[in-house]
Structure formats: C-alpha cells, structure tokens
Amino acid sequence: MIEPEEFLKFLKERRSIRAYLDKMISDDEIEMILEAGRWSPSASNKQPWEFIVIKDREFIIKVAKAASYGRFIKEAPVLIAIIGKTRISPKWYIIDTSLVTMNMMLMAWSLGIGTCWIGAMNREKARQILELKDSDYVATILPFGYIKGNIPLPTSRKSKEEIFKEI
Ligand SMILES: Cc1cc2nc3c(=O)[nH]c(=O)nc-3n(C[C@H](O)[C@H](O)[C@H](O)COP(=O)(O)O)c2cc1C
C-alpha cells in the first residue's frame, strides 16, 4: 500500500503535459503503462477495451490529424489509442475506457512521463486511420513522452466549500 499523504500529494501534482522531448520512452515503461490500463476496474469485469501502441513516426503524424484540440500529440514519441469495444459492454464502455485512461495517466506520471487526455477528436477519422471496426469506439489517443520544459503550474480547482456536501 502507498502512504496516503504521499498518494494524495501525487494526485495533486499530476499535470496534463502537452510538450515532449524527442526521446523514445523505454519498452519497460510502455509495458508498465499498458499494465496499469489492463488492471483498471470495469463493469462486471468485462474489460471492453483494446490498446494500440503507436511508435511509427509517420503513423503518429497521420493519426494526430484526428485530434482537434491536440495536434501537439504529433510531437510525442509514443501514442496509445484506447479502444472501447461497444459490443462487449454497450452500457459501460465509455466509463470503463475512461478509467483505463486515468490509470495510464497516473502510471505515466509516476514514471516521470508526460501525457494528456485527448477528448476533442474526430473519432470517425481516427477509427478509419486505425482501421477499426464500425463498432469500435476510439475513447482517446494518449500521447506519452518525457516532459519538455517546465511542468505547468497547477490548474485551478473549485473550492471545497463549493463542492463538498454533507448530510
Ligand atoms: C475527458 C477529458 C478530455 C480532455 N480533452 C483534452 C483535449 O482534447 N485536449 C487537451 O489539450 N486537453 C484535454 N484535456 C485535459 C484537460 O484540459 C486538463 O485535464 C484540465 O485542464 C486540468 O488540468 P490538469 O490535467 O493539468 O490538472 C481533457 C481532460 C479530460 C478529463
């Protein structure tokens, strides 16, 4: 188990990173990120997902064109597309793949690797580029790379008073 104070500090320190060094991350690091995704919880443990690791530079540039507010992913040495299998879990695939995304992002942060959730994208275009089935849902395409420049300042959060309720 992780020391709780340390864990909360870790959660608070994570940032979305949108600039990456031109340096490949290791296969062991990629494996750990994939493992963090594989061990995510899912409704009825259906695990309605597949992960596609993309390292080919030309393919990265091609697939980055589907990211509307995330063209910066073309600078990352590695992308992982998280695919929701809608037929396996029609009701929960979006939530389940979101949990995968968070697990992978936290694993990356613990490795000193930057990433950023890409939500705004042309999913149809991404699906075609990745040659997926009609029933496949491109949840996100996460970029991974060592952090270029300074870690961004913390983003703001709503106050506790605003959002914590007690009955
Ligand atoms: C569901 C979701 C979709 C997001 N989509 C994008 C995106 O398309 N492009 C981008 O640059 N950041 C995207 N983000 C990152 C958010 O902007 C970021 O998490 C938020 O500003 C808080 O900053 P932090 O992650 O550094 O704490 C997304 C985050 C989430 C959770």
Side-chain angles (χ1 to χ4, degrees), residues 27-44:
D27 285 344
D28 285 349
E29 288 168 326
I30 295 171
E31 173 74 16
M32 287 186 88
I33 292 166
L34 291 169
E35 278 295 87
R38 191 169 72 92
W39 279 92
S40 303
S42 61
S44 305

Side-chain angles (χ1 to χ4, degrees), residues 11-18 67-73 98 101-102 105 115-121 123 139-140 152-157:
L11 291 178
K12 288 185 177 183
E13 283 176 354
R14 181 210 54 79
R15 291 278 73 77
S16 291
I17 301 295
R18 299 180 175 88
S68 334
Y69 179 49
R71 293 285 160 92
F72 57 84
I73 71 170
S98 297
T101 306
M102 192 71 224
M105 287 181 9
T115 185
C116 178
W117 193 319
I118 301 298
M121 80 169 103
R123 289 190 164 69
T140 185
L153 292 171
T155 44
S156 65
R157 290 297 186 266

Side-chain angles (χ1 to χ4, degrees), residues 35-58:
E35 278 295 87
R38 191 169 72 92
W39 279 92
S40 303
S42 61
S44 305
N45 198 22
K46 286 197 176 164
Q47 305 164 58
W49 51 57
E50 276 175 5
F51 314 141
I52 305 171
V53 179
I54 307 163
K55 294 182 188 168
D56 181 85
R57 186 105 293 276
E58 278 181 24

Side-chain angles (χ1 to χ4, degrees), residues 6-155:
E6 272 298 303
F7 185 58
L8 185 57
K9 185 168 172 282
F10 170 79
L11 291 178
K12 288 185 177 183
E13 283 176 354
R14 181 210 54 79
R15 291 278 73 77
S16 291
I17 301 295
R18 299 180 175 88
Y20 318 96
L21 294 181
D22 182 17
K23 183 183 171 204
M24 191 37 116
I25 62 175
S26 72
D27 285 344
D28 285 349
E29 288 168 326
I30 295 171
E31 173 74 16
M32 287 186 88
I33 292 166
L34 291 169
E35 278 295 87
R38 191 169 72 92
W39 279 92
S40 303
S42 61
S44 305
N45 198 22
K46 286 197 176 164
Q47 305 164 58
W49 51 57
E50 276 175 5
F51 314 141
I52 305 171
V53 179
I54 307 163
K55 294 182 188 168
D56 181 85
R57 186 105 293 276
E58 278 181 24
F59 204 88
I60 286 176
I61 290 166
K62 196 170 158 188
V63 85
K65 292 191 176 131
S68 334
Y69 179 49
R71 293 285 160 92
F72 57 84
I73 71 170
K74 69 175 187 300
E75 309 296 343
V78 179
L79 304 180
I80 299 180
I82 299 169
I83 312 305
K85 308 299 281 183
T86 65
R87 299 236 164 99
I88 294 176
S89 189
K91 206 168 143 193
W92 301 106
Y93 68 91
I94 292 183
I95 290 176
D96 290 346
T97 50
S98 297
L99 296 173
V100 165
T101 306
M102 192 71 224
N103 262 19
M104 286 191 182
M105 287 181 9
L106 292 175
M107 188 70 236
W109 190 255
S110 82
L111 292 164
I113 291 170
T115 185
C116 178
W117 193 319
I118 301 298
M121 80 169 103
N122 182 334
R123 289 190 164 69
E124 178 54 26
K125 192 167 168 180
R127 207 173 50 73
Q128 281 171 14
I129 295 168
L130 293 165
E131 297 183 13
L132 300 170
K133 291 188 212 142
D134 288 352
S135 58
D136 288 338
Y137 173 78
V138 182
T140 185
I141 301 173
L142 288 179
F144 293 99
Y146 297 118
I147 301 166
K148 186 175 173 183
N150 295 329
I151 292 172
L153 292 171
T155 44

